[in-house]
Amino acid sequence: MSQPVAITDGIYWVGAVDWNIRYFHGPAFSTHRGTTYNAYLIVDDKTALVDTVYEPFKEELIAKLKQIKDPVKLDYLVVNHTESDHAGAFPAIMELCPDAHVLCTQRAFDSLKAHYSHIDFNYTIVKTGTSVSLGKRSLTFIEAPMLHWPDSMFTYVPEEALLLPNDAFGQHIATSVRFDDQVDAGLIMDEAAKYYANILMPFSNLITKKLDEIQKINLAIKTIAPSHGIIWRKDPGRIIEAYARWAEGQGKAKAVIAYDTMWLSTEKMAHALMDGLVAGGCEVKLFKLSVSDRNDVIKEILDARAVLVGSPTINNDILPVVSPLLDDLVGLRPKNKVGLAFGAYGWGGGAQKILEERLKAAKIELIAEPGPTVQWVPRGEDLQRCYELGRKIAARIAD
Ligand code: FEO
């Protein structure tokens, strides 16, 4: 079992590391590198636990609390967010410390009562600006609706310039160490980008507003301790800057080509498009969807300016393996992307129109409509058109 880790004097990580989880939110999100459920204990004149862990890890949390102080006495339990990965051990903690006073938003309270109607607990509804003294340190709350649920809030410890933002700034990555200076920086940013792209992207406008709000009140931030993954103590500005970029939909001269193929005709078109994009100076990531992880594809779309999706026609429809990516894009609403649909058909078509409708539903601007469609097999002139379209897209998304 992992051990408690001091973040600073009297403030401890007391969470759990889930090395083996490979899907999160049911089957919605692949977690190749596992995750952590981070909870934080603040020991002062009064003692506060900020968030709990997923229910199967409740004994780990309790064991860590006992390692710091046994018997465990909590004056406050802060519930930043009531999703089960953070509030799943709420009943166990309330059983351990029935006198703990719960601090949460109104919506979090409503959600706690809905999840745990059998538990009576003392509570205070907090709002942005509410402050609670623990002695030498205090807790200030910042409501953060839709980061990641309507109930969410950040907890801030001003005396330590420590932000506990729950899901925001997190990453699904299991590690034996807790801080950003102990893990490869590229790996952390890769997982942070995947987390943002697949979970937070639809809330980008709210994230921009929240970052502006934090900047306006001049919130000093020395450390960001999210509820998943590593703690940003070396360079918290790095993840704040990345969130600002991602939330604004800033991309680079990069295209993602996501496709699948039956008899290689659509694949040949994908490669011709790629050749044109590359010749135009564009970075390209190409994914055959039946052998690719959808969440990894979405991560690559986050900082791309173009999304090209290809499918042949089958039963007057697109290949079933292409649908989930489009379904996700419609829900995630990526910003500032241009797109193109392409593909081959045999006796009858249909896929092209469906691809184009789905891309438009995802608010992706089509650069050509209809995009390249060929019957049976692409001939030289068809591949040349794909190549030229690739060049055209590269020119459009160039820096
Ligand atoms: Fe990590 Fe929205 O829960």
Side-chain angles (χ1 to χ4, degrees), residues 124-140:
T124 298
I125 303 298
V126 302
K127 296 185 172 188
T128 294
T130 304
S131 186
V132 172
S133 175
L134 301 178
K136 292 186 290 298
R137 269 82 64 99
S138 60
L139 306 176
T140 301

Side-chain angles (χ1 to χ4, degrees), residues 317-380:
D317 207 332
I318 60 176
L319 280 175
V321 74
V322 177
S323 294
L325 175 69
L326 292 166
D327 292 345
D328 269 352
L329 290 177
V330 170
L332 292 168
R333 302 190 295 277
K335 281 184 171 179
N336 303 332
K337 314 288 181 205
V338 296
L340 184 79
F342 64 95
Y345 65 95
W347 296 109
Q352 186 70 17
K353 191 166 170 37
I354 292 167
L355 289 176
E356 285 171 355
E357 290 306 316
R358 299 299 283 160
L359 286 170
K360 283 192 279 189
K363 308 292 179 214
I364 293 172
E365 176 197 338
L366 295 179
I367 210 155
E369 186 179 4
T373 313
V374 301
Q375 188 173 23
W376 301 122
V377 290
R379 291 164 176 49

Side-chain angles (χ1 to χ4, degrees), residues 57-333:
F57 294 85
K58 65 186 177 190
E59 298 302 341
E60 280 200 34
L61 169 62
I62 290 170
K64 286 187 182 73
L65 296 176
K66 286 182 175 173
Q67 275 182 260
I68 295 165
K69 198 173 179 190
D70 196 12
V72 181
K73 182 183 173 301
L74 293 179
D75 295 288
Y76 296 109
L77 171 57
V78 177
V79 179
N80 276 329
H81 176 31
T82 58
E83 195 163 8
S84 296
D85 48 335
H86 309 296
F90 179 83
I93 292 298
M94 292 314 298
E95 189 179 341
L96 183 73
C97 302
D99 295 330
H101 195 95
V102 173
L103 302 172
C104 62
T105 63
Q106 178 65 54
R107 282 172 164 156
F109 174 75
D110 295 344
S111 175
L112 284 174
K113 291 308 282 182
H115 280 84
Y116 310 116
S117 56
H118 59 291
I119 302 174
D120 277 324
F121 54 88
N122 295 319
Y123 66 96
T124 298
I125 303 298
V126 302
K127 296 185 172 188
T128 294
T130 304
S131 186
V132 172
S133 175
L134 301 178
K136 292 186 290 298
R137 269 82 64 99
S138 60
L139 306 176
T140 301
F141 304 103
I142 301 167
E143 292 167 273
M146 302 317 296
L147 288 163
H148 144 241
W149 271 5
D151 62 331
S152 295
M153 69 174 186
F154 299 170
T155 296
Y156 179 63
V157 184
E159 297 79 7
E160 305 291 348
L162 168 65
L163 185 67
L164 306 168
N166 198 267
D167 277 338
F169 311 118
Q171 338 88 49
H172 284 312
I173 178 170
T175 49
S176 59
V177 289
R178 302 272 65 84
F179 298 102
D180 57 346
D181 47 291
Q182 298 170 313
V183 180
D184 178 78
L187 185 89
I188 302 169
M189 288 308 293
D190 197 57
E191 289 297 340
K194 182 172 175 180
Y195 188 98
Y196 186 97
N198 285 275
I199 296 179
L200 297 176
M201 196 194 285
F203 314 121
S204 288
N205 289 343
L206 291 169
I207 290 168
T208 299
K209 273 191 197 159
K210 189 55 55 183
L211 293 176
D212 287 349
E213 182 187 323
I214 284 173
Q215 200 173 23
K216 268 188 202 133
I217 59 174
N218 231 349
L219 201 72
I221 297 177
K222 192 169 129 201
T223 308
I224 298 176
S227 290
H228 296 292
I230 62 85
I231 297 164
W232 307 91
R233 72 174 175 189
K234 181 186 173 198
D235 194 2
R238 187 167 187 207
I239 189 64
I240 294 174
E241 284 162 19
Y243 264 50
R245 270 198 321 276
W246 296 334
E248 283 171 15
Q250 284 183 24
K252 55 182 178 178
K254 170 182 169 185
V256 169
I257 303 176
Y259 75 99
D260 220 303
T261 194
M262 287 169 68
W263 298 110
L264 305 182
S265 292
T266 301
E267 185 163 84
K268 284 176 186 157
M269 298 170 75
H271 281 266
L273 286 160
M274 178 171 66
D275 291 346
L277 284 157
V278 171
C282 187
E283 177 188 347
V284 179
K285 291 282 173 78
L286 180 138
F287 296 96
K288 183 176 177 178
L289 288 166
S290 54
V291 294
S292 302
D293 180 287
R294 190 180 80 256
N295 302 112
D296 291 341
V297 177
I298 291 166
K299 177 196 74 185
E300 294 296 340
I301 288 172
L302 180 64
D303 66 353
R305 291 189 186 134
V307 182
L308 288 65
V309 181
S311 173
T313 293
I314 182 166
N315 302 328
N316 305 117
D317 207 332
I318 60 176
L319 280 175
V321 74
V322 177
S323 294
L325 175 69
L326 292 166
D327 292 345
D328 269 352
L329 290 177
V330 170
L332 292 168
R333 302 190 295 277

